[in-house]
């Protein structure tokens, strides 16, 4: 059943956004990130429902577990974004030294700001 739900969220993510061609990320990288974020969104909706229906102190443990899972999934999406950016920005090594140095500086700034 989980595979069917993953496929459904992937189709929804693809249909919900007009994926623009560009040099920031490849189309496949964008689809992967959108799919991951759609799953996180579903997890967060589930957490909201658990909170709304919480009736006993023991319910807090289930909520905390689901929140931790959503946070970890979001962290994995972030790492995927950084990895994709590194791969995208280091492709095409046939450029001059100045352009390559600029790309490396942009990556270093990205990692410094968010890493």
């Amino acid at each position: 059943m989980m595979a069917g739900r993953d496929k459904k969220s992937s189709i929804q993510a693809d249909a919900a956004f007009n994926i623009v061609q560009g040099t920031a990320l490849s189309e496949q990288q964008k689809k992967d990130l959108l799919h991951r974020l759609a799953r996180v969104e579903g997890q967060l909706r589930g957490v909201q429902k658990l909170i709304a229906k919480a009736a006993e102190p023991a319910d807090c443990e289930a909520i905390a577990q689901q929140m931790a899972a959503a946070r970890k999934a979001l962290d994995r999406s972030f790492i995927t974004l950084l990895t994709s950016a590194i791969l995208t920005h280091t492709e095409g090594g046939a450029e001059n030294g100045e352009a390559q140095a600029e790309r490396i500086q942009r990556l270093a700034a990205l990692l410094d700001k968010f890493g």
Side-chain angles (χ1 to χ4, degrees), residues 86-97:
I86 289 168
L87 291 172
T88 300
H89 288 84
T90 56
E91 289 176 345
E95 59 196 12
N96 66 35

Side-chain angles (χ1 to χ4, degrees), residues 33-79:
L33 281 168
L34 290 171
H35 175 22
R36 287 175 179 273
L37 292 174
R39 290 179 62 194
V40 172
E41 183 180 17
Q43 286 178 307
L44 291 175
R45 276 197 219 104
V47 168
Q48 289 173 328
K49 289 177 184 175
L50 286 174
I51 291 170
K53 294 180 179 182
E56 300 176 14
D59 295 335
C60 291
E61 184 176 342
I63 294 167
Q65 182 179 15
Q66 291 304 310
M67 289 176 85
R71 184 179 60 206
K72 186 167 182 151
L74 188 58
D75 287 344
R76 281 192 302 254
S77 297
F78 177 73
I79 296 299

Side-chain angles (χ1 to χ4, degrees), residues 19-31 33 80-91 103 106-107 110:
I19 297 177
V20 176
Q21 295 290 327
T23 58
L25 298 167
S26 71
E27 183 176 350
Q28 187 58 45
Q29 289 168 329
K30 289 178 183 183
K31 284 182 178 182
L33 281 168
T80 299
L81 172 66
L82 290 180
T83 303
S84 296
I86 289 168
L87 291 172
T88 300
H89 288 84
T90 56
E91 289 176 345
R103 289 173 108 174
R106 281 195 311 249
L107 280 173
L110 180 71

